[in-house]
Amino acid sequence: MTSNDAVAPTASTPTQPVLRATGLTKRFFGNPVLEDVTLELHPGQVHGLVGENGAGKSTLMKVLAGVHQPDEGTVEIDGQAQQFSHPIQAQQAGLSTVFQEFNLLPDRTVAENIYLGREPRRGPLVDTAAMRRDTSELLDGLGVTGLDPDRTVRSLSVAEQQIVEIAKAVSYDSRIISMDEPTAALADHEVELLYAIIRRLLDRDVAILYVSHRLKEIFDLCDTITVLKDGQQVTTQPASELDEGALVRLMVGREMSAFFPQPTPGTEVGEPLLTLSGSGNGYVDGVDLTLRAGEIVGLAGLQGSGRTELVESIFGVTPLTRGTLTLDGETTMISSPRQAIRRGLALITEDRKAKGLALGQSVLDNALGVVRSVFPGRTGEARTSMPGVLSSLEVAARSLDQEVQFLSGGNQQKVVLARWLSVDPRVMLMDEPTRGIDVGAKHAIYELMRGLAADGVGILMVSSELPEVIGMSDRILVMRDGRLAGDLPRGATEEDVLALATGADEHEEVVA
Amino acid sequence: MNALARLRPTHLTSTGIVYLVLVLVLVLGAVITAAAGRNFFSTGNISAILTGTSILGFIAIGQTLVILAGSLDLSVPYVASLASLLGGVTMAGQTCNIPLAVITALGVAALIGLVSGLVVAYLHVHGFIATLGMGLILSGYLGTNFKGSAGSAPRDFRLIGALNIGPVPLSTIIMLVCAVLVILLLRRTRVGHHLYAVGGSKDVARLSGVRTQPPIVLAHVLCSVLAGMAGLLLLARLSVGSPTIGTQGGYDLMSIAAVVLGGTVLAGGKGNILGTLGGVAIFAVMDNVMGVMQLNAFLQDVVRGLVIVLAVAVYARRNADLRPARFDRSRAPRHTPAPTTAGSAA
Ligand SMILES: Nc1ncnc2c1ncn2[C@@H]1O[C@H](COP(=O)(O)OP(=O)(O)OP(=O)(O)O)[C@@H](O)[C@H]1O
Ligand SMILES: [Mg+2]
């Protein structure tokens, strides 16, 4: 992550709390998800909320926002007891929330989404011109440029959509804003934009409740940190009293060894599994790359540089129309995902809600989805091994029959991983595999990746988190504007990657 | 279809496509009609086509509203029949009864829509089922209480169905005025915006502080009232009310087809009235041309069916690749070396 001046965490000054939650408890179907949580938010300060997947962070935010009602406990705003039965009441009381789930209407414009529910009017009619103008002003005020208020949300990139969600929450002029993993979909340089937005909010004395799995952000931003584990409040401490190691220990409950596992000794980078030469279509162009057995190749680049498009093209979502693709030494064409899967490819998508999971189905059905449809003969075998796979990923679900929609965000991501592991792919294309996943499980996924590599799987990993790209990759490919801008060996620095990604260092360009 | 694909610029909206298809159908229609030795653009024929749009137009505008809100209305043909009967019986041939008759017919239609809307919005019964039930109830009522046509429309009321302003029938003008009002409702009122939101995602709407029920109820009420207006127009044309006039027209499925042909997404949340009007016009032109060609009824249905399915297939394709391409296909070869033999490029 590009280190930059963080929002200076001030030592907590004894101000009056704007929000005080006392003894909050929430159960779903009798299972406690939050137990006796007590929390204070102060104006102009950021309160960090961390914990493993399923710890109850999102549930806490939803209780505060009036989406869920607490079974026990009270919420006070400015000393006044509040009981919200609908999110609008929380908004009216001055609290708005950026939810973890996608919360926009894809077919409506940016302006319509931001002002949904409180469209400005002139007389009886909606003043669409004012709505557009206010949206532009709002975005300008947040330092966001180049986002046309008239574009439909569907046509925006995931990061732009996230920015619209944040802008929407900010536009309520609330005194309290909670943000549930607002950076999960953002690349590092976009995180800077969020920091800037948060700084502006703090200047206006807004209190912020902030959930993230990226610990650096927590330390950059937060004055106070609360750790949740299995719905229990482990601690609430000033950030200055903690460091990353201590925080991880509190979250995971154990010591963590070297964060990025090294290649298992004896792992040999073998034969080329997948080779592209001069490949392209409408979205990517002139791609030359080789992925060998046992190798983890990182695919870095700015948001919109074509990384997702490249892995989707390889996987046959938008088939390649130019160049040659060689798989296991055989020139071939992949024209659909089904064909890709049959040839031993797997794609873990970036956008799990839209492309990865059937939310209304059970954990087990989702995990078996791919095997069932592509290799029906292997379903029985996969069914027997699946519980083991799921528990090795530390999926926190009540049972395998639980509907996926009731899992926490991070646990949903793990189910996506499980469904692809069950087809024994030779080539794994991973698009942001650890997005929204807690540190403990992240580590588990890294080890899993190394394990797969040791078994001769070739992995192409897209990631917006530079430490992850650098820590995990044996080689890094950098994309820019739909083309490969260069190839970096293990040991490259964040600066090297960024230089290629932004084109700042043209002369150093190495064509793969 | 291929020619169409080449014609279309990349940023063409689905409404744009609808009107492109309409133009295509018009041209084809003109050619075919000319081949049959008649003039497609004669005042009489234009007027006939426009007349054909008005009844389906009313119903399809209403259907667009409920579909946008994520619901559906299958009771429209029965509402239209009932309105024609109530109107006809109340008028009983007397001009002075017209206002009362119109109010009665539309009031009852509104009430029916209100009930359906409340059931959909508050009891969470899907519109498909709620209005299927409502349709059955109405059909039972019509069947037991009216053995055949009843009532009669006075001459003044029949004028609505007969009067033309230039080549444009008065009924079409009324329909277009309704369309403009509904467009205004959708684009420029809060409830219109909320109707799109509720149809797009109830959860998102709710979390944004929108009360999700009123738009759904309103959509059903308006849809029913518009179906009632279609019924009154049928009364004006036939001068008697009839318990089967709505079902004969097959307006339930035809209106849904017109809405979908107009580019509105059946799942709700996306679409517009302009598209629907285009869809209705396409059907009207097709019917006219097929009438000129004296195609038998069975073949007419086959053609309609094909057009609907093809249109939806085209929209689905467009939605699949909404992302703009970065590398234009025609420009491509410049960047790419000719594919060489399969070899390692590392
Ligand atoms: N509506 C619901 N019904 C039943 N169980 C639920 C519901 N919402 C959440 N849960 C359960 O509550 C627990 C806490 O979920 P929550 O979403 O709060 O976790 P989280 O800390 O936000 O995790 P993540 O980091 O993965 O987002 C999980 O075990 C989840 O399965
Ligand atoms: Mg969460």
Side-chain angles (χ1 to χ4, degrees):
Chain A
M1 184 168 287
T2 49
S3 77
N4 203 319
D5 50 326
V7 181
T10 47
S12 21
T13 36
T15 47
Q16 202 58 26
V18 55
L19 179 140
R20 178 187 281 126
T22 322
L24 287 183
T25 297
K26 177 72 194 169
R27 298 182 199 91
F28 285 116
F29 312 111
N31 300 337
V33 172
L34 282 182
E35 284 178 84
D36 194 20
V37 175
T38 296
L39 197 75
E40 281 183 358
L41 301 185
H42 293 267
Q45 296 195 2
V46 184
H47 193 117
L49 193 56
V50 297
E52 290 177 291
N53 296 131
K57 306 179 295 293
S58 300
T59 307
L60 177 57
M61 289 204 160
K62 286 183 181 167
V63 168
L64 295 179
V67 177
H68 297 314
Q69 284 68 48
D71 293 316
E72 282 159 40
T74 53
V75 178
E76 284 169 27
I77 291 183
D78 288 331
Q80 290 206 305
Q82 306 279 349
Q83 269 186 330
F84 303 133
S85 51
H86 190 285
I88 185 92
Q89 295 169 338
Q91 267 158 21
Q92 280 158 359
L95 186 153
S96 61
T97 306
V98 180
F99 293 100
Q100 186 173 15
E101 298 84 22
F102 179 68
N103 236 313
L104 299 170
L105 297 164
D107 293 313
R108 303 292 279 168
T109 66
V110 171
E112 284 164 346
N113 266 287
I114 289 181
Y115 285 98
L116 178 60
R118 56 207 165 99
E119 295 81 1
R121 277 189 298 190
R122 189 196 286 160
L125 296 185
V126 172
D127 192 345
T128 45
M131 200 158 97
R132 243 175 276 142
R133 199 180 50 237
D134 292 352
T135 303
S136 294
E137 275 171 19
L138 174 73
L139 292 173
D140 283 348
L142 294 174
V144 180
T145 48
L147 203 59
D148 181 354
D150 282 335
R151 278 178 66 188
T152 59
V153 164
R154 191 186 290 284
S155 71
L156 303 179
S157 71
V158 181
E160 286 169 324
Q161 293 175 351
Q162 184 66 36
I163 286 167
V164 175
E165 295 218 33
I166 293 166
K168 180 173 175 176
V170 169
S171 71
Y172 285 97
D173 264 333
S174 310
R175 285 166 306 138
I176 309 156
I177 299 182
S178 32
M179 304 186 177
D180 198 349
E181 298 191 39
T183 54
L186 301 188
D188 287 344
H189 67 286
E190 291 156 338
V191 173
E192 293 298 323
L193 181 63
L194 179 73
Y195 280 14
I197 293 174
I198 288 179
R199 255 177 242 132
R200 280 174 218 230
L201 293 173
L202 294 179
D203 286 343
R204 289 191 235 153
D205 264 350
V206 173
I208 295 176
L209 181 60
Y210 191 90
V211 171
S212 179
H213 287 297
R214 301 188 186 176
L215 299 186
K216 177 173 184 300
E217 286 169 18
I218 295 290
F219 283 104
D220 282 351
L221 291 171
C222 299
D223 304 284
T224 317
I225 299 174
T226 291
V227 180
L228 288 183
K229 185 165 172 58
D230 300 329
Q232 315 239 1
Q233 190 167 4
V234 176
T235 181
T236 296
Q237 284 181 36
S240 50
E241 291 175 10
L242 289 163
D243 58 32
E244 290 211 6
L247 195 56
V248 169
R249 257 192 317 280
L250 287 168
M251 287 168 64
V252 186
R254 63 183 144 85
E255 201 77 40
M256 294 252 298
S257 52
F259 198 63
F260 294 107
Q262 295 304 302
T264 327
T267 302
E268 296 213 348
V269 173
E271 290 297 297
L273 286 175
L274 173 78
T275 309
L276 299 186
S277 86
S279 296
N281 56 18
Y283 305 109
V284 294
D285 191 38
V287 176
D288 297 315
L289 74 81
T290 307
L291 181 66
R292 296 167 189 276
E295 190 180 36
I296 298 178
V297 175
L299 193 56
L302 303 181
Q303 200 79 40
S305 59
R307 298 164 304 171
T308 295
E309 281 86 349
L310 177 57
V311 288
E312 287 190 349
S313 301
I314 296 174
F315 199 62
V317 179
T318 44
L320 291 162
T321 52
R322 299 186 293 274
T324 44
L325 185 151
T326 314
L327 205 59
D328 279 329
E330 197 184 313
T331 306
T332 172
M333 287 248 301
I334 294 178
S335 54
S336 74
R338 190 178 171 80
Q339 233 176 31
I341 299 166
R342 286 187 172 279
R343 302 267 169 82
L345 268 65
L347 171 67
I348 290 157
T349 53
E350 151 188 54
D351 184 356
R352 61 178 167 262
K353 284 236 158 164
K355 299 178 191 161
L357 290 170
L359 291 175
Q361 291 185 11
S362 72
V363 171
L364 189 64
D365 284 334
N366 267 289
L368 292 175
V370 181
V371 186
R372 235 183 225 149
S373 58
V374 186
F375 305 104
R378 277 159 45 185
T379 311
E381 186 191 325
R383 186 191 291 274
T384 358
S385 63
M386 190 51 76
V389 174
L390 289 169
S391 68
S392 75
L393 290 172
E394 305 176 27
V395 175
R398 267 190 295 120
S399 77
L400 294 187
D401 297 326
Q402 194 174 7
E403 283 178 30
V404 163
Q405 58 181 324
F406 296 131
L407 295 191
S408 75
N411 282 306
Q412 293 180 351
Q413 179 73 341
K414 294 181 198 170
V415 175
V416 174
L417 271 173
R419 78 188 321 196
W420 288 108
L421 292 177
S422 66
V423 295
D424 287 329
R426 302 257 290 126
V427 173
M428 281 202 111
L429 309 169
M430 300 182 154
D431 197 356
E432 309 281 2
T434 64
R435 168 173 300 169
I437 286 193
D438 69 55
V439 268
K442 234 179 204 175
H443 190 68
I445 288 174
Y446 294 148
E447 294 201 311
L448 187 102
M449 288 169 70
R450 275 294 163 208
L452 287 169
D455 290 342
V457 175
I459 298 177
L460 185 61
M461 174 188 73
V462 175
S463 174
S464 297
E465 281 185 67
L466 287 178
E468 175 172 286
V469 174
I470 289 165
M472 283 305 293
S473 310
D474 299 323
R475 212 145 55 78
I476 301 171
L477 302 175
V478 185
M479 284 198 85
R480 184 169 76 235
D481 295 335
R483 304 205 175 86
L484 285 183
D487 190 334
L488 296 164
R490 194 174 177 83
T493 63
E494 298 195 1
E495 285 68 36
D496 298 338
V497 177
L498 273 177
L500 278 174
T502 55
D505 245 8
E506 284 292 4
H507 62 276
E508 262 196 20
E509 194 164 331
V510 193
V511 176
Chain B
M1 286 280 89
N2 231 338
L4 205 120
R6 247 180 288 128
L7 263 175
R8 103 191 164 206
T10 42
H11 56 269
L12 198 57
T13 61
S14 51
T15 313
I17 301 189
V18 175
Y19 282 89
L20 212 63
V21 174
L22 178 58
V23 168
L24 206 77
V25 173
L26 278 171
V27 170
L28 271 176
V31 171
I32 291 171
T33 315
R38 301 228 219 131
N39 181 5
F40 182 79
F41 294 104
S42 71
T43 317
N45 200 47
I46 294 283
S47 171
I49 292 174
L50 289 175
T51 305
T53 60
S54 54
I55 292 176
L56 184 60
F58 278 115
I59 296 180
I61 291 168
Q63 197 69 260
T64 310
L65 286 171
V66 283
I67 290 180
L68 281 179
S71 186
L72 208 62
D73 193 345
L74 295 179
S75 65
V76 280
Y78 306 100
V79 175
S81 301
L82 184 65
S84 81
L85 283 165
L86 285 176
V89 171
T90 316
M91 282 177 205
Q94 301 299 315
T95 304
C96 59
N97 289 340
I98 292 178
L100 179 67
V102 169
I103 291 172
T104 311
L106 296 187
V108 169
L111 212 66
I112 293 170
L114 181 68
V115 173
S116 301
L118 291 175
V119 169
V120 172
Y122 289 94
L123 301 185
H124 305 288
V125 178
H126 190 274
F128 184 93
I129 299 299
T131 59
L132 185 73
M134 181 57 82
L136 282 174
I137 294 169
L138 293 177
S139 140
Y141 173 80
L142 290 170
T144 43
N145 290 287
F146 299 92
K147 294 297 167 225
S149 353
S152 106
R155 188 176 163 279
D156 289 332
F157 193 72
R158 293 204 302 268
L159 279 180
I160 299 176
L163 217 59
N164 272 21
I165 296 172
V168 188
L170 181 60
S171 58
T172 307
I173 293 178
I174 300 177
M175 187 270 287
L176 290 177
V177 169
C178 288
V180 170
L181 290 176
V182 171
I183 290 173
L184 196 68
L185 173 93
L186 285 176
R187 292 208 183 151
R188 297 297 302 276
T189 67
R190 280 196 178 171
V191 73
H193 282 239
H194 296 175
L195 202 139
Y196 277 103
V198 169
S201 162
K202 269 198 189 132
D203 286 338
V204 172
R206 200 178 97 89
L207 288 178
S208 304
V210 171
R211 290 209 300 140
T212 54
Q213 295 93 353
I216 298 178
V217 176
L218 180 76
H220 273 282
V221 170
L222 289 179
C223 177
S224 231
V225 168
L226 284 159
M229 292 179 75
L232 287 177
L233 182 58
L234 285 165
L235 169 67
R237 292 229 179 110
L238 304 173
S239 81
V240 289
S242 153
T244 53
I245 189 77
T247 30
Q248 276 165 10
Y251 293 123
D252 40 3
L253 297 185
M254 280 310 284
S255 64
I256 295 172
V259 171
V260 171
L261 190 59
T264 295
V265 176
L266 205 45
K270 183 183 182 192
N272 59 52
I273 299 290
L274 275 183
T276 298
L277 290 180
V280 169
I282 291 172
F283 277 137
V285 173
M286 273 170 35
D287 283 356
N288 180 274
V289 174
M290 292 191 293
V292 170
M293 290 167 72
Q294 291 174 328
L295 233 54
N296 71 42
F298 169 70
L299 266 178
Q300 293 201 10
D301 281 342
V302 170
V303 173
R304 281 191 204 112
L306 280 176
V307 168
I308 295 167
V309 173
L310 269 176
V312 176
V314 170
Y315 302 150
R317 243 191 87 79
R318 271 179 51 79
N319 282 338
D321 44 43
L322 259 182
R323 265 179 313 180
R326 195 196 303 260
F327 299 102
D328 189 46
R329 220 163 283 169
S330 55
R331 238 181 39 211
R334 267 196 291 150
H335 310 305
T336 343
T340 45
T341 48
S344 158

